[in-house]
Amino acid sequence: MNSDVQIAGDPLAVPHLMPPVPAHPSTVAEFAGLARGIAADRDSWAHLVRYDAASRWYHRLRTGPGYEVWLLSWVPGQGSGQHDHGPSSGVLTVLSGELTELTGAAAGDRRRLRAGDQRVFAPGYAHEVVNDSLEPAVSLHIYSPGLTEMPMHHAAPAASVVPSAAQGAVAR
């Protein structure tokens, strides 16, 4: 019996039948995929990471039409402060270590993010990211369009940032 390829021919041999592969990501899924691809290619970013005890370290890793990719490092106790990303959507991917995302009223909702975890957010999404573990962390951030503003929110202060091992019986 003949196969479909024997009867109709190989569709991959006729390029005009294939949808074009996007040169740059344009959907949330494509940006999340780009982040996973960069995360998997540790050799492309690990040598760039620096740790700064005085402030979060960051490095713009790449840009494309309508987006940019940032690499950040966090030593224990460092945080971003409650903020949003203006008109930009984004993908946050933890590359190594652990981070905690605080959201909601007075940043009362906590979500632990471990290596490989991703968060996707739309314009206006407010959060705070902190390293409340005892080890350094590295994260990747993709913004579309590229980050032009990061308004800080000065709501009631969240619970203090204390490394996890020292929290003991503190509820999460």
Side-chain angles (χ1 to χ4, degrees):
M1 180 170 269
N2 292 333
S3 72
D4 290 345
V5 171
Q6 290 172 322
I7 295 169
D10 184 357
L12 299 178
V14 188
H16 70 279
L17 296 177
M18 298 299 296
V21 175
H24 297 283
S26 60
T27 66
V28 171
E30 290 169 349
F31 282 114
L34 172 62
R36 284 191 302 275
I38 293 170
D41 186 10
R42 188 175 182 86
D43 290 341
S44 72
W45 56 265
H47 67 283
L48 298 169
V49 174
R50 304 289 179 266
Y51 297 100
D52 185 338
S55 67
R56 288 178 300 137
W57 172 90
Y58 51 91
H59 171 77
R60 188 164 54 190
L61 196 56
R62 87 170 59 157
T63 61
Y67 73 94
E68 59 187 5
V69 180
W70 290 87
L71 186 63
L72 280 76
S73 71
W74 314 71
V75 298
Q78 287 180 337
S80 64
Q82 184 83 0
H83 67 281
D84 68 57
H85 303 92
S88 300
S89 295
V91 178
L92 161 81
T93 304
V94 178
L95 301 178
S96 66
E98 291 183 1
L99 294 170
T100 300
E101 181 186 39
L102 307 168
T103 59
D109 298 326
R110 301 172 65 87
R111 177 173 290 170
R112 174 80 58 201
L113 303 171
R114 293 178 172 86
D117 289 346
Q118 288 188 307
R119 295 289 292 144
V120 175
F121 51 87
Y125 177 76
H127 68 163
E128 179 175 4
V129 179
V130 298
N131 180 352
D132 62 0
S133 75
L134 297 175
E135 299 294 328
V138 178
S139 58
L140 184 79
H141 304 249
I142 300 178
Y143 301 105
S144 176
L147 193 62
T148 58
E149 58 185 270
M150 196 172 111
M152 300 304 289
H153 297 237
H154 300 287
S160 64
V161 177
V162 178
S164 296
Q167 286 181 345
V170 174
R172 292 185 190 245

